Amino acid sequence: MTSATTATAETTADRTGTGPGATSAAVVTAVTAPDGARVAAVTGPATGGAAAVLRADGRDRESGYVLRTATADDLGGARAVMLDTVYNDLKSGYVPRWHADIIDPEAAYLRPERCTLLVVEHRGEIVATGAVRDRGPQAPPNPRWVADRFPSGTTAQLCRIYVRPDHRRHGLARRMVRALGEFAVRAGGYEALYLHTDPAVPGAEPFWRSLAREVCDERTLPGGGQGIIHFELPMPDIGGLDTPPVR
C-alpha cells in the first residue's frame, strides 16, 4: 500500500445503506503521498477498518488497476467487455437499437464534448468500462413521466458500467461511478445524474440501491413494464478532495 501522511482533516462520508443490517459510513480523507500526489484514504467496512489509499489520478499501485479516460486504442478492449456483458450477464445479446454505442463507442462517447468513456486497465487488459451520455431516457419505451423528469441536454446518463467477473469486488464500479459523476459536474450544464438497471443481473439492484435513489421500479407498473429500475444519483461535490479529472 502507498504510504501517506494526512494533509487535511477534511473528510466526507459515503453511506452504504440505512436501517437494519446496513453498513456504517466509509470516511474519505484527503492525504498526500510521499511523491506529492493527492490521494484519498478510504476507511470503513469495505476496507476492514484499514485505510485503502487510492490515488487521485486513478492509479492503485498495489492492485495494478488504472482508471482512465479511454483512447481510440482502448476501444477494442472496451467493446469486448461490453459485448461479453450483454451476452453473458444481461442475456439479451447484441440488439442494434439498444447497443449501437457498443459497436461505435468513438462516435457515442469520445467525440461528443459532454460525453465520456472511462476504462479500467489491469496489466495491459481492459477489465471495466463506464460512460456518460448526454441524453436522458426516451419515451417509449420508458414511462413518459420518467423521460420528462430527465430531459436530454441537462441529464447525464450513466451507462455501460460493466466489470469483468474476475475483477469484481475490488471497488472498481464504485470508483467508476464517482469518476463519471465528477466528469458530469466538470462538463457543466448537467442538472441530474440518471441511470437504469436490470434487476435480473446478479448484484445490480443492491449495488445501485447503495448509491442512488429509486425513481421508478417498472416491475410495479401494470404489466411489469420493461422490468427495469430507474435511479437518480446525487451530483458529487468535487470540492472536498480537489481531485483532478481522470485522464
Side-chain angles (χ1 to χ4, degrees):
M1 179 180 296
T2 305
S3 60
T5 55
T6 302
T8 175
E10 183 174 7
T11 62
T12 59
D14 178 16
R15 290 192 308 167
T16 56
T18 57
T23 57
S24 58
V27 177
V28 182
T29 306
V31 299
T32 302
D35 61 1
R38 291 285 284 176
V39 302
V42 184
T43 306
T47 64
V53 178
L54 307 179
R55 294 172 58 91
D57 61 6
R59 295 176 181 270
D60 181 341
R61 287 183 174 177
E62 182 177 0
S63 67
Y65 291 107
V66 180
L67 170 63
R68 57 179 173 77
T69 302
T71 68
D73 292 338
D74 299 317
L75 296 184
R79 187 181 296 110
V81 171
M82 295 177 190
L83 287 174
D84 285 349
T85 302
V86 299
Y87 277 96
N88 299 326
D89 290 339
L90 301 180
K91 307 298 184 183
S92 66
Y94 173 71
V95 180
R97 69 180 184 277
W98 298 341
H99 304 136
D101 60 301
I102 295 179
I103 298 304
D104 193 358
E106 182 172 9
Y109 303 118
L110 298 193
R111 293 177 193 163
E113 184 177 354
R114 298 172 68 234
C115 301
T116 194
L117 173 64
L118 302 184
V119 295
V120 174
E121 181 183 352
H122 184 261
R123 298 174 183 172
E125 178 189 6
I126 302 302
V127 299
T129 63
V132 166
R133 63 176 57 172
D134 58 353
R135 57 179 296 182
Q138 305 298 297
N142 301 291
R144 168 53 60 185
W145 70 269
V146 173
D148 290 344
R149 178 168 174 165
F150 298 105
S152 296
T154 59
T155 298
Q157 181 174 174
L158 275 58
C159 51
R160 308 303 178 208
I161 300 176
Y162 300 151
V163 181
R164 286 202 177 279
D166 290 349
H167 297 273
R168 293 172 186 169
R169 306 194 68 80
H170 289 279
L172 301 182
R174 288 181 182 269
R175 291 170 61 186
M176 184 78 71
V177 170
R178 175 69 187 186
L180 293 171
E182 291 176 352
F183 169 86
V185 172
R186 289 189 171 97
Y190 288 126
E191 298 175 2
L193 285 178
Y194 160 86
L195 67 101
H196 66 262
T197 192
D198 183 349
V201 176
E205 182 176 355
F207 172 77
W208 288 114
R209 289 195 183 280
S210 75
L211 296 175
R213 183 170 62 87
E214 177 193 312
V215 173
C216 175
D217 186 340
E218 292 199 22
R219 295 172 297 181
T220 67
L221 301 179
Q226 304 170 90
I228 64 175
I229 309 175
H230 304 265
F231 287 102
E232 182 174 9
L233 290 109
M235 283 288 197
D237 177 4
I238 63 175
L241 291 177
D242 193 28
T243 56
V246 171
R247 300 189 183 280

